[in-house]
Amino acid sequence: MNIGITLIGQMLSFALFVWLTMKFIWPPLMRAMERRRQTIADGLAAAERSKLDLELAQKKAGELLHEAREQAADVLMEAAKRASGIMDEAKSQARAEGERQFLATRAEIDLEANRAREHLRTAVAELAVAGATRILEKEIDRNAHAKLLDSVVAKL
Amino acid sequence: MNTSTGAVTSTDYIIHHLTNLTQGEGIWQINIDTLFFSLILGGVFLAIMGFAAHRASSGVPGGLQNFAEILVEFVDKQVKDTFHGRNPVIAPLALTVFCWVFLWNLMDLVPVDLLPEFGKLLGVHYMRVVPSTDLNATFGLSLTVFLLIIFYSFKVKGPVGYAKELLTHPFGPYLFPANLLLNVVELVAKPISLALRLFGNLYAGEMIFILIALMYGAGWLLGPFAGVLQLGWAIFHLLVITLQAFIFMVLTIVYLSMAHEESH
């Protein structure tokens, strides 16, 4: 029970243990805890930030969708307009073509009629000459009266 | 029971249990068992905590690391509650005090005859396994704390400031003899009360365990009753040993933080 040299031994070993704890045990554990605290804080902040980002992205996506829808409507309207334009053009073209063909046909018919009339006139003149020839067989010299006959033919 | 030499009285049994394994005489007496067990227990503390600290990661902590971190955080909180300056020594010191004293006290829960009987097989005839029932061990702690108190008082306040505090506090400069006397008594009372409180509690606890152990040999009626008593006392003692370790740590922190503060 006496106090003695053991006391010094105890004090020295206590000092040694405190020094070892201070050097090798306390700092690494505190550091690890501090780092973990930091990591958790960072994680929480990141989560908060990404939530905000998500909200922003959703808003932006909504805007883009709206814009796209408007554009699509514009395109549809434009297409409809152009389609009706093309149709109108085609109609007017067809009408013009029809008119042109109608006129051409009519001109041809006129030409044909004229030709037929000419033919008829020649034929009637020849018929008249033939009749007259038969009547006047002897009295009329074809050569002497050729001038007269021609004028008759021209009058027909 | 200690019956190796035949007829052993209860007094012999108790005295045998309260005798250290010693070497040398008087002031040069070395209590080998105290030194041995306290060093072993300190080594256990350093090994476990050192292993945890060595593998400490900032990721998901394992069981051992959790345990070490709970201890460290607990001590750190105690230190931060009491001490507001910056000192890298106090917190590790408090951790060492708490764990070391707790492990010392824990030896009290080992059945009183277990390790001494085992020692007897190895030819060691005296053995006290609880370092905190040796005044050398408790004073070893408290005197080291005492030296630190004086060291930090000088370091923080300077020789002049410290002398002024000792001489003029609390009654003013005209009553400096009374002040000095009061302050010296207060200062000296710190390590003595620290050491004696721990020693007294654990010595008494050990004594009761020894008495209970004596009771095992007191016949068929009292023997089983001793078992019940031992269990009850051990459960209660769990509280005592933790509390004593905690008190020693907190008072150490308080004394050291007082050494850092100017008195008002």
Side-chain angles (χ1 to χ4, degrees), chain A residues 29 33, chain B residues 44-45 48-49 52 61-74 95 98-99 102-103:
Chain A
L29 283 171
M33 288 196 294
Chain B
V44 166
F45 157 69
I48 292 175
M49 294 299 278
L64 179 65
Q65 198 185 338
N66 261 335
F67 170 70
E69 284 182 5
I70 286 169
L71 268 179
V72 164
E73 205 143 50
F74 164 69
L95 178 68
F98 180 70
C99 294
F102 178 77
L103 288 174

Coordinates of all heavy atoms in Angstrom, one line a residue, chain A residues 29 33, chain B residues 44-45 48-49 52 61-74 95 98-99 102-103:
Chain A
L29 N -9.2 9.6 -36.1 CA -10.6 9.4 -35.9 C -11.4 10.7 -36.1 O -12.4 10.7 -36.8 CB -10.9 8.8 -34.5 CG -10.5 7.3 -34.3 CD1 -10.6 6.9 -32.9 CD2 -11.5 6.5 -35.1
M33 N -14.1 11.5 -39.0 CA -15.5 11.9 -38.7 C -15.8 13.2 -39.4 O -16.9 13.5 -40.0 CB -15.7 12.1 -37.2 CG -15.8 10.7 -36.5 SD -16.4 10.8 -34.9 CE -15.1 11.7 -34.0
Chain B
V44 N -4.2 -2.7 -24.2 CA -5.4 -3.2 -24.8 C -6.2 -1.9 -25.4 O -6.6 -2.0 -26.6 CB -6.3 -3.9 -23.8 CG1 -7.7 -4.0 -24.3 CG2 -5.7 -5.2 -23.5
F45 N -6.2 -0.9 -24.6 CA -6.9 0.3 -25.1 C -6.2 0.9 -26.3 O -6.9 1.2 -27.3 CB -6.9 1.4 -23.9 CG -7.0 2.8 -24.4 CD1 -8.2 3.3 -24.9 CD2 -5.9 3.7 -24.3 CE1 -8.3 4.6 -25.3 CE2 -6.0 5.0 -24.7 CZ -7.2 5.4 -25.2
I48 N -6.8 -1.5 -29.4 CA -8.2 -1.5 -30.0 C -8.4 -0.1 -30.7 O -8.8 -0.1 -31.9 CB -9.2 -1.7 -28.9 CG1 -9.1 -3.1 -28.4 CG2 -10.6 -1.4 -29.5 CD1 -10.1 -3.4 -27.3
M49 N -8.1 1.0 -30.0 CA -8.4 2.3 -30.6 C -7.4 2.6 -31.7 O -7.8 3.2 -32.7 CB -8.3 3.4 -29.5 CG -9.3 3.3 -28.4 SD -11.0 3.5 -29.0 CE -11.1 5.2 -29.1
A52 N -8.6 0.8 -34.7 CA -9.8 1.5 -35.3 C -9.3 2.8 -36.0 O -9.8 3.1 -37.1 CB -10.8 1.8 -34.2
P61 N -18.8 3.5 -41.8 CA -18.0 2.9 -40.7 C -18.4 1.6 -40.3 O -19.6 1.2 -40.3 CB -18.1 3.9 -39.6 CG -19.5 4.5 -39.8 CD -19.8 4.5 -41.3
G62 N -17.5 0.7 -40.0 CA -17.8 -0.6 -39.5 C -18.1 -0.6 -38.0 O -18.1 0.5 -37.4
G63 N -18.3 -1.8 -37.4 CA -18.6 -1.8 -36.0 C -17.6 -1.3 -35.1 O -17.9 -0.4 -34.2
L64 N -16.3 -1.7 -35.3 CA -15.2 -1.2 -34.4 C -15.1 0.3 -34.5 O -14.9 1.0 -33.6 CB -13.9 -1.9 -34.8 CG -12.7 -1.5 -34.0 CD1 -12.9 -1.9 -32.5 CD2 -11.4 -2.1 -34.5
Q65 N -15.1 0.8 -35.8 CA -15.0 2.2 -36.0 C -16.1 3.0 -35.3 O -15.9 4.1 -34.7 CB -14.9 2.5 -37.5 CG -14.3 3.9 -37.7 CD -14.3 4.3 -39.2 OE1 -14.3 3.5 -40.0 NE2 -14.2 5.6 -39.4
N66 N -17.3 2.4 -35.5 CA -18.5 3.1 -34.8 C -18.2 3.2 -33.3 O -18.4 4.3 -32.7 CB -19.7 2.2 -35.0 CG -20.6 2.8 -36.1 OD1 -20.5 3.9 -36.4 ND2 -21.3 1.9 -36.7
F67 N -17.7 2.1 -32.7 CA -17.5 2.1 -31.3 C -16.4 3.2 -30.9 O -16.7 4.0 -30.0 CB -17.0 0.7 -30.9 CG -16.4 0.6 -29.5 CD1 -17.3 0.7 -28.4 CD2 -15.1 0.4 -29.3 CE1 -16.8 0.6 -27.1 CE2 -14.5 0.3 -28.0 CZ -15.4 0.4 -26.9
A68 N -15.3 3.2 -31.7 CA -14.3 4.1 -31.4 C -14.8 5.6 -31.6 O -14.5 6.5 -30.8 CB -13.1 3.9 -32.3
E69 N -15.6 5.8 -32.6 CA -16.1 7.1 -32.9 C -17.1 7.6 -31.8 O -17.1 8.7 -31.5 CB -16.7 7.2 -34.3 CG -15.7 7.2 -35.4 CD -16.3 7.3 -36.7 OE1 -17.6 7.5 -36.8 OE2 -15.6 7.3 -37.7
I70 N -17.9 6.6 -31.3 CA -18.8 7.0 -30.2 C -18.0 7.5 -29.0 O -18.3 8.5 -28.4 CB -19.7 5.8 -29.9 CG1 -20.7 5.6 -31.0 CG2 -20.4 6.0 -28.5 CD1 -21.5 4.3 -30.8
L71 N -17.0 6.7 -28.7 CA -16.1 7.1 -27.6 C -15.5 8.5 -27.8 O -15.6 9.4 -26.9 CB -15.0 6.1 -27.4 CG -15.3 4.9 -26.4 CD1 -14.1 4.0 -26.4 CD2 -15.5 5.5 -25.0
V72 N -14.9 8.6 -29.0 CA -14.2 9.9 -29.3 C -15.2 11.0 -29.2 O -14.9 12.1 -28.7 CB -13.5 9.8 -30.6 CG1 -13.1 11.2 -31.1 CG2 -12.3 8.9 -30.5
E73 N -16.4 10.8 -29.8 CA -17.3 11.9 -29.9 C -17.9 12.3 -28.5 O -18.1 13.4 -28.2 CB -18.5 11.5 -30.8 CG -19.2 12.7 -31.4 CD -19.7 12.4 -32.8 OE1 -20.3 11.3 -33.0 OE2 -19.4 13.2 -33.7
F74 N -18.1 11.2 -27.7 CA -18.5 11.4 -26.3 C -17.6 12.3 -25.5 O -17.9 13.3 -24.9 CB -18.7 10.0 -25.7 CG -18.8 10.0 -24.2 CD1 -19.9 10.6 -23.6 CD2 -17.8 9.5 -23.4 CE1 -20.0 10.5 -22.2 CE2 -17.9 9.5 -22.1 CZ -19.0 10.0 -21.4
L95 N -9.7 11.2 -23.1 CA -10.1 9.9 -23.7 C -9.2 8.8 -23.0 O -9.8 7.7 -22.6 CB -9.9 9.9 -25.2 CG -10.1 8.5 -25.9 CD1 -11.6 8.2 -25.9 CD2 -9.6 8.6 -27.3
F98 N -10.4 8.3 -19.4 CA -11.7 7.6 -19.3 C -11.5 6.1 -19.6 O -11.9 5.2 -18.8 CB -12.7 8.2 -20.3 CG -14.0 7.5 -20.2 CD1 -14.9 7.6 -19.1 CD2 -14.5 6.8 -21.3 CE1 -16.1 7.0 -19.1 CE2 -15.7 6.1 -21.3 CZ -16.5 6.3 -20.2
C99 N -10.9 5.8 -20.7 CA -10.8 4.4 -21.1 C -9.9 3.6 -20.2 O -10.2 2.5 -19.8 CB -10.2 4.3 -22.6 SG -11.4 4.9 -23.8
F102 N -11.5 3.1 -16.8 CA -12.6 2.2 -17.0 C -12.1 0.7 -17.0 O -12.7 -0.2 -16.4 CB -13.5 2.5 -18.2 CG -14.6 1.5 -18.5 CD1 -15.7 1.6 -17.7 CD2 -14.5 0.5 -19.4 CE1 -16.8 0.7 -17.9 CE2 -15.5 -0.4 -19.6 CZ -16.6 -0.3 -18.9
L103 N -11.0 0.5 -17.8 CA -10.5 -0.8 -17.9 C -9.9 -1.3 -16.6 O -10.1 -2.4 -16.2 CB -9.4 -0.8 -19.0 CG -10.0 -0.7 -20.4 CD1 -8.8 -0.6 -21.4 CD2 -10.8 -1.9 -20.8

